[in-house]
Amino acid sequence: MTESKTLTGGALLFEVLEEHGVKHVFGYPGGAIMPIYDALYDSNVKHFLCRHEQGAAFSAVGYARAAGTVGVCLATSGPGATNLITGLADALADSIPVVAITGQVPTAAMGSDAFQEIDIFGLSLACTKHSFQVTDIDDLERVLYQAFEIALEGRQGPVLVDIPKDIQLAEVTERFDKLSHLQNKVQLPLADINQALELLNKAKQPILYVGGGVGMANAVEEVRDFAEKTGMPSVSTLKGLGSINPDNENYLGMLGMHGTKTANIAVQESDLLVVVGARFDDRVTGKLDEFAPNAKVIHFDIDTAEINKRRAADVAILGDLKANLPSLVTDLNIAAWQQKLQQMSRDFAWRYDHPGENIFAPAVLKTISDLMPSNTCVTTDVGQHQMWAAQHMSFDDPSNFLTSAGMGTMGFGLPAAIGAQISRPHDTVIAVSGDGSVMMNVQELATIKRYQVPVKVVLIDNAKLGMVRQWQDLFFDGRLSQTDLSDNPDFVMLATAFDIKARMITKKSEVNAAVEEMLDHDGPYFLQVKIDAAENVWPLVPPNTANDQMMEGV
Amino acid sequence: MKPITLNKYQLIIMADDKQVVLERILQVTRYRGFLINGINAEVNTGNNEATITMSVSSERPITLLVDQINKLIDIKGVKVDNSRL
């Protein structure tokens, strides 16, 4: 007689992960998640040991964004769980589907201030799309199925599942009926396409305002088709970069605080904004009351709560952008508007003829962009280098530019690049970082070393917290406060300590050869690029100012 | 300083009677800039349906809060009913 093998909660977790096509997870073990790590032994899921739970969360985010799938991270109770929070908040702000599994102290100990006990379920309320705490083993399978469904349904986002240790060890007695799926409870109203077409046909100066929702909706092709067929000039948010073909002659670049002059002026002068998957973020609008003051608004979004949140829509088209946008393709009579903006783009084109021998960060990023293979995935951290990358690099898809847009989280770039590289092993992945940001998750160099993840790190090094220093110079009378990083470690020595090939360059004459060496190198590479600490990001729309009143240098 | 005028609203919220649904509503209400003036909640009743009546005040339009509460996974519906204010 053969005995049927018992299925524990821990084993069930990996069974459900495999049923959802999960091949890779990122995590860090600890006491309250040991039964899950024991079950990992017998599963086909590959686990990547990160060196901090925040690194695990960001690797899951990078994995999800680069591959267009769900990222999964694991952490133990207490500090392990709290260390995930920044990554979950980042995923919530940028609508990234992540499932986070946390171990919890046994149910009998919950609420007793047990060792490594924290109410992560309570903490998760503000930083996840939804969360669960499983207190009955026979709920676990249903909850895990719901977690994946909720992470991907509608506006995507992170979901946390907190599993007490005794539930991980318990034997499953009742299986979940997998055919009973969640229903999308929001019944979206039928869109008034005719009203939108009427606005389009009346418009003389329309602008297509493209956001991160385009990539999330898998609607890049439809948005490009709309932009090509209508000839409508387009602008992009930070997270929307890559959605519009950068070679489209009517594409004006990024708008907002560090947007191009042409993009910001065009939006301010527009009489119609066709907003696709964007949310009028404050970094985009500048002074909201003065943003695109004469424009009507057609707003496409999957999230009802984004309609009329910061700017009233004249026509709201809720639902699937991929299905809805093609209905609006029409001939527009806007030749004069196109020509004016094309001329403005030529007049205000970026210049890279920076004087002197020092390396000009925009030029080095432009060089990397020109030399990197097609379908390269670039991640960034947060600060000046992030804005320079957004301004001076070109991306052929939004999944090829991963940046912490909503939350603006320093420390994002390195672990996100690791996740991206693991999800796309055959593509080049470059992490553009700053000397402030890279230190925030520098321990992930150990993850690169352990798994020989061939990420290329480009460190734009000005020995400063450059963006804060820029603002202190411009808006706080030059009273520099806690932004000097001149005592940074020797980054080449640091990378070398993790067996990562590393090089530092200081002169513009070294740039091309160094970039080629980096891109040609088979394994991980760390390129430290020393730049002038006084360089600022231009243009800049000062806080609470209309977007057409940008500063272009001092 | 210009005095801030707070508008008062009453919400009737129908929800699946799931764990912490009340906490979720309270968290969203505070975060979105609404003061809670009063609340009557029948939750964890075992009949799978929770009804929460909540009086709130804010200078912000109530649609902002209604849309955000509606986004919560366990919420079935939200109505504004100012008749009993």
Side-chain angles (χ1 to χ4, degrees):
Chain A
M1 196 175 117
T2 55
E3 283 182 27
S4 61
K5 196 180 172 192
T6 58
L7 181 68
T8 64
L12 176 62
L13 167 67
F14 290 104
E15 192 177 299
V16 174
L17 292 183
E18 288 189 48
E19 284 166 359
H20 285 83
V22 175
K23 292 184 174 61
H24 306 114
V25 298
F26 303 89
Y28 205 102
I33 198 168
M34 287 182 71
I36 285 176
Y37 272 81
D38 186 65
L40 172 67
Y41 239 93
D42 301 320
S43 89
N44 295 312
V45 174
K46 183 168 171 56
H47 177 275
F48 289 85
L49 177 71
C50 302
R51 294 309 177 93
H52 188 290
E53 291 85 353
Q54 189 182 112
F58 282 134
S59 286
V61 169
Y63 188 96
R65 292 179 68 163
T69 185
V70 179
V72 178
C73 53
L74 312 176
T76 192
S77 62
T82 57
N83 281 343
L84 290 180
I85 282 180
T86 303
L88 296 175
D90 194 274
L92 183 67
D94 283 345
S95 310
I96 310 303
V98 166
V99 171
I101 307 293
T102 49
Q104 183 55 275
V105 301
T107 47
M110 283 165 58
S112 70
D113 305 315
F115 174 66
Q116 290 193 331
E117 184 189 8
I118 191 73
D119 176 20
I120 190 64
F121 190 32
L123 288 171
S124 72
L125 298 185
C127 63
T128 61
K129 181 178 176 186
H130 197 64
S131 49
F132 298 92
Q133 188 170 62
V134 182
T135 51
D136 181 335
I137 181 63
D138 290 329
D139 288 339
L140 180 60
E141 190 174 20
R142 174 184 54 78
V143 163
L144 291 169
Y145 262 79
Q146 283 186 311
F148 276 87
E149 193 151 356
I150 290 167
L152 286 167
E153 180 254 339
R155 182 172 180 174
Q156 300 176 352
V159 178
L160 180 136
V161 183
D162 192 36
I163 311 176
K165 193 171 184 177
D166 54 317
I167 302 297
Q168 300 169 37
L169 288 164
E171 184 181 339
V172 178
T173 57
E174 203 171 303
R175 302 305 299 264
F176 164 61
D177 174 9
K178 298 180 176 65
L179 296 175
S180 60
H181 286 286
L182 284 178
Q183 298 294 316
N184 184 341
K185 70 188 170 92
V186 182
Q187 295 298 313
L188 300 172
L190 288 175
D192 194 341
I193 298 291
N194 287 338
Q195 202 185 342
L197 280 169
E198 200 175 309
L199 285 181
L200 263 181
N201 289 325
K202 279 185 191 163
K204 293 184 172 56
Q205 302 192 149
I207 290 287
L208 179 63
Y209 160 18
V210 177
V214 172
M216 310 304 297
N218 196 22
V220 171
E221 192 182 329
E222 287 72 16
V223 169
R224 288 184 177 191
D225 189 60
F226 178 84
E228 293 288 344
K229 287 183 175 161
T230 61
M232 188 180 294
S234 54
V235 298
S236 174
T237 68
L238 180 64
K239 198 168 161 252
L241 292 173
S243 301
I244 296 288
N245 181 349
D247 296 328
N248 181 318
E249 62 182 351
N250 293 307
Y251 175 57
L252 310 174
M254 186 168 74
L255 81 162
M257 181 173 277
H258 292 292
T260 68
K261 187 171 180 178
T262 309
N264 280 335
I265 290 174
V267 169
Q268 289 304 94
E269 291 185 359
S270 69
D271 60 2
L272 176 69
L273 290 176
V274 178
V275 186
V276 287
R279 58 188 177 90
F280 296 94
D281 175 77
D282 58 283
R283 283 295 192 268
V284 159
T285 62
K287 191 173 186 180
L288 185 61
D289 294 345
E290 296 175 23
F291 178 72
N294 302 314
K296 301 274 189 189
V297 172
I298 301 171
H299 195 168
F300 288 82
D301 213 288
I302 190 75
D303 182 356
T304 313
E306 289 303 337
I307 305 297
N308 301 324
K309 187 178 88 174
R310 284 181 42 85
R311 171 73 177 248
D314 296 278
V315 178
I317 302 181
L318 283 159
D320 183 6
L321 178 64
K322 193 176 178 69
N324 287 334
L325 188 61
S327 317
L328 240 61
V329 173
T330 184
D331 288 330
L332 301 176
N333 184 17
I334 54 170
W337 175 235
Q338 290 169 324
Q339 283 160 20
K340 173 181 170 175
L341 296 179
Q342 286 171 17
Q343 184 60 47
M344 211 186 281
S345 284
R346 286 189 289 273
D347 292 344
F348 302 138
W350 299 118
R351 293 185 59 167
Y352 299 101
D353 52 345
H354 192 258
E357 275 307 297
N358 286 341
I359 296 174
F360 183 43
V364 77
L365 292 169
K366 174 76 164 58
T367 300
I368 294 169
S369 185
D370 290 344
L371 294 178
M372 67 192 188
S374 65
N375 220 29
T376 292
C377 180
V378 174
T379 73
T380 77
D381 267 298
V382 172
Q384 288 182 311
H385 71 275
Q386 178 192 31
M387 291 298 107
W388 283 322
Q391 291 173 332
H392 303 286
M393 300 184 83
S394 292
F395 309 101
D396 43 22
D397 192 86
S399 65
N400 287 337
F401 183 55
L402 314 184
T403 193
S404 173
M407 193 54 52
T409 315
M410 293 171 71
F412 173 90
L414 186 60
I418 292 170
Q421 184 75 82
I422 287 162
S423 74
R424 287 166 44 183
H426 304 298
D427 289 327
T428 301
V429 175
I430 301 173
V432 178
S433 189
D435 55 298
S437 287
V438 78
M439 293 295 283
M440 289 238 181
N441 272 316
V442 75
Q443 78 286 342
E444 295 309 316
L445 293 176
T447 311
I448 288 179
K449 175 187 175 182
R450 170 176 286 227
Y451 300 103
Q452 281 301 294
V453 189
V455 164
K456 319 300 181 198
V457 181
V458 176
L459 181 71
I460 304 295
D461 178 10
N462 54 11
K464 291 276 184 291
L465 292 174
M467 188 61 92
V468 184
R469 190 278 307 154
Q470 176 172 340
W471 277 51
Q472 287 172 344
D473 268 336
L474 296 175
F475 307 123
F476 290 86
D477 299 326
R479 288 161 57 89
L480 304 184
S481 178
Q482 303 298 316
T483 47
D484 177 71
L485 300 179
S486 55
D487 54 353
N488 272 327
D490 180 330
F491 285 112
V492 169
M493 187 184 287
L494 180 67
T496 306
F498 290 96
D499 291 342
I500 297 170
K501 187 174 169 63
R503 176 176 177 180
M504 179 176 76
I505 55 173
T506 58
K507 294 186 178 66
K508 63 170 66 163
S509 57
E510 300 173 287
V511 168
N512 276 43
V515 170
E516 282 171 3
E517 179 180 297
M518 175 184 78
L519 293 172
D520 288 344
H521 184 67
D522 267 346
Y525 193 101
F526 193 106
L527 179 61
Q528 180 185 5
V529 182
K530 294 290 291 181
I531 64 162
D532 188 336
E535 287 293 346
N536 288 334
V537 180
W538 305 117
L540 163 65
V541 178
N544 202 30
T545 304
N547 276 352
D548 52 1
Q549 292 165 43
M550 63 200 84
M551 299 168 70
E552 297 178 77
V554 289
Chain B
M1 200 172 123
K2 197 174 146 189
I4 296 170
T5 309
L6 298 180
N7 297 310
K8 292 190 171 179
Y9 309 96
Q10 182 161 278
L11 299 180
I12 299 171
I13 303 165
M14 308 296 287
D16 284 331
D17 199 355
K18 298 279 178 63
Q19 276 176 310
V20 305
V21 68
L22 189 56
E23 273 182 79
R24 292 185 199 280
I25 293 166
L26 297 179
Q27 188 268 331
V28 165
T29 304
R30 174 185 53 74
Y31 172 63
R32 297 292 171 181
F34 288 76
L35 288 171
I36 298 173
N37 304 119
I39 187 164
N40 181 52
E42 291 170 30
V43 294
N44 301 317
T45 57
N47 69 359
N48 298 324
E49 193 165 284
T51 307
I52 297 137
T53 307
M54 191 164 69
S55 304
V56 297
S57 53
S58 178
E59 57 184 326
R60 300 181 179 183
I62 193 65
T63 52
L64 293 183
L65 182 59
V66 169
D67 285 345
Q68 294 296 341
I69 292 177
N70 249 325
K71 271 173 69 170
L72 295 171
I73 301 296
D74 297 329
I75 300 299
K76 288 179 168 171
V78 185
K79 282 192 297 189
V80 183
D81 178 4
N82 290 339
S83 60
R84 280 180 281 174
L85 281 176

